[in-house]
Amino acid sequence: MSSIAIQSLVYHELFVPTPKDPQSLLQNLLDIGLFSNYMLYQSDRETRIAGNALANIAVSAEMVICRCMGQTQSYPVVDPLKQVEEVLGSLPIENWTAYGYVGFDITRFYSPYSKAIEQPLLQFFIPETELHITEKGIRIRSVKPLMKIIEALAIDRPLRSYTATPPVVDFADREHYQTQVQNLIQAIQEGKLHKAILARSVKVKGEMDLLGTYCLGSQSNNSARSYCLHMDNVSAVGFSPEILMTVDSDRKVITNPLAGTRPRSQNLEEDQQLNGELFTDAKEVKEHALSVWLAQDEINSVCDPDTVRVFDFMEVKKYRCVQHLSSRVGGELKSDKTLWDALKVLFPGITVSGIDKQSALAWIDRLESEPRGLYAGGIGWVDSQGTADLAIAIRSAYQYDDCIYFNAGAGIVSESVPETEYLESVNKMNTMLTNLVLK
């Protein structure tokens, strides 16, 4: 794979010791036309805003395409995740971070899953400018002169207020979904697999107000990671409770399976009762234990076995509409492995595919009528130092061209009850349905 012949680019850096609200800052950057394509990504430690592409790497059903500063190269798809790693490593940009997504449909190159959206299945961009926002201030990195960014920081404009425009959902898919769940239960009881996540989708015509939906959703949804992403004809807003993969500077990789779900209640006593059911319901405990077991097996394949650990086993994570059992599994990457090797093993997440993963993906392909697109894939960033932070793309809304999609699923095991699983998917989807803002 050849390199793009352009003089190497270096980022200018500046730290501004004045904190700024990330949502207001993104609003100002967009209002003055400084960013076109962009991504806001919030974690527990910082919020990042990245804008405008120096380089863009996309994977279609046939090709890997790299556009970098006026030059374009393309390659037939063979092993897209490793090809993207190679392309990123060949770019003439120092100390880069790439922001974007790995759609669920990239699975079609590694499994029996066959569906694909028309838009890029994977897409990352290396930004001209990125802002790292913490309570101490803002670190600016840009290949452009910093004056316009500094001017944007000086704008004192209040965040606009937004009103939700939730679509009307008629639940017409209830009978079909419950029938498909029953078919899956039968396959599990026949020993064809242990578990699969069966999802449903709602499609709405219109244009999502990305920042409005994000601002409104952030008022009522807590999350492990949240994001607001616009890349040409693909956009996403979400509040993910689940981290697909982090890799730190010490090469420690961690995944955070959430499996086992109960709804939330506004009544404190009832909410506690539902919390307790996560530990007393055999179906929920089994679903979680199987997921952790397989996550440990996957981590073992790319990490030194002596370093692999399970942390915070079966903690309860509470979110606005649902509560989950949570565990973390991690280890130190083997010397000959990279974050992309870990991603190949962990993707798609166990908790959005199933056990065993290959059999579950075949059943998902058979029973779900629509490609998943970004849903249940990964959204976040990777960098040239080998570190990464990717959230599982759930509790999100996705814009493809002129249509908005909402997706949600439930983990099906032999003890599942179709009516209960449908209700679980409704509760999960409500995270975004009730916060949608249209333009």
Side-chain angles (χ1 to χ4, degrees), residues 223-429:
S223 59
R225 301 290 187 268
S226 63
Y227 37 82
C228 181
L229 165 70
H230 175 62
M231 298 175 71
D232 297 324
N233 60 345
V234 175
S235 304
V237 173
F239 303 90
S240 176
E242 188 167 359
I243 299 166
L244 172 63
M245 183 183 83
T246 60
V247 184
D248 66 17
S249 57
D250 294 323
R251 295 174 54 79
K252 186 174 183 180
V253 56
I254 293 178
T255 189
N256 175 211
L258 303 186
T261 305
R262 277 291 184 271
R264 297 298 308 276
S265 173
Q266 294 183 345
N267 179 284
L268 181 61
E269 185 176 341
E270 185 179 357
D271 197 57
Q272 283 299 110
Q273 180 183 336
L274 291 164
N275 181 312
E277 288 176 9
L278 285 168
F279 299 96
T280 58
D281 188 310
K283 182 262 180 186
E284 305 297 345
V285 173
K286 177 181 178 180
E287 186 181 344
H288 188 79
L290 284 171
S291 299
V292 173
W293 166 67
L294 184 56
Q296 189 171 4
D297 194 45
E298 290 179 341
I299 289 286
N300 256 317
S301 69
V302 291
C303 292
D304 291 326
D306 291 345
T307 68
V308 176
R309 299 285 186 275
V310 176
F311 311 92
D312 308 322
F313 183 61
M314 286 182 67
E315 284 190 343
V316 175
K317 295 287 182 71
K318 293 177 178 284
Y319 298 96
R320 182 169 70 97
C321 297
V322 292
Q323 49 191 318
H324 301 285
L325 289 174
S326 165
S327 298
R328 295 191 303 145
V329 184
E332 187 177 319
L333 283 171
K334 294 175 182 176
S335 59
D336 61 340
K337 300 297 183 184
T338 69
L339 73 88
W340 296 94
D341 296 301
L343 184 58
K344 274 184 71 172
V345 167
L346 292 170
F347 193 88
I350 297 159
T351 55
V352 290
S353 53
I355 304 170
D356 81 353
K357 191 177 282 187
Q358 294 297 310
S359 298
L361 289 167
W363 278 94
I364 289 168
D365 192 48
R366 188 178 308 166
L367 296 176
E368 293 183 12
S369 57
E370 296 278 348
R372 287 189 171 186
L374 272 67
Y375 167 67
I379 292 179
W381 56 263
V382 298
D383 70 18
S384 57
Q385 309 304 310
T387 66
D389 194 306
L390 295 165
I392 294 184
I394 52 178
R395 315 293 195 274
S396 302
Y398 315 95
Q399 178 96 45
Y400 308 120
D401 295 316
D402 62 349
C403 289
I404 306 163
Y405 282 81
F406 302 87
N407 307 72
I412 312 304
V413 294
S414 60
E415 295 86 356
S416 290
V417 177
E419 293 78 10
T420 303
E421 305 301 347
Y422 183 82
L423 182 59
E424 179 178 321
S425 76
V426 169
N427 287 328
K428 290 175 177 176
M429 196 178 288

Side-chain angles (χ1 to χ4, degrees), residues 151-199:
E151 289 174 359
L153 293 180
I155 297 172
D156 187 17
R157 187 178 300 154
L159 190 65
R160 287 187 285 272
S161 59
Y162 296 94
T163 303
T165 46
V168 177
V169 179
D170 60 9
F171 305 111
D173 65 340
R174 181 194 298 267
E175 186 175 342
H176 173 73
Y177 181 81
Q178 291 178 178
T179 299
Q180 298 295 61
V181 170
Q182 190 56 56
N183 291 336
L184 191 52
I185 291 171
Q186 183 175 343
I188 293 169
Q189 291 174 343
E190 290 172 357
K192 296 176 180 177
L193 72 167
H194 291 291
K195 169 188 172 183
I197 286 69
L198 193 62

Side-chain angles (χ1 to χ4, degrees), residues 57 71 199 427:
I57 297 90
Q71 295 191 27
N427 287 328

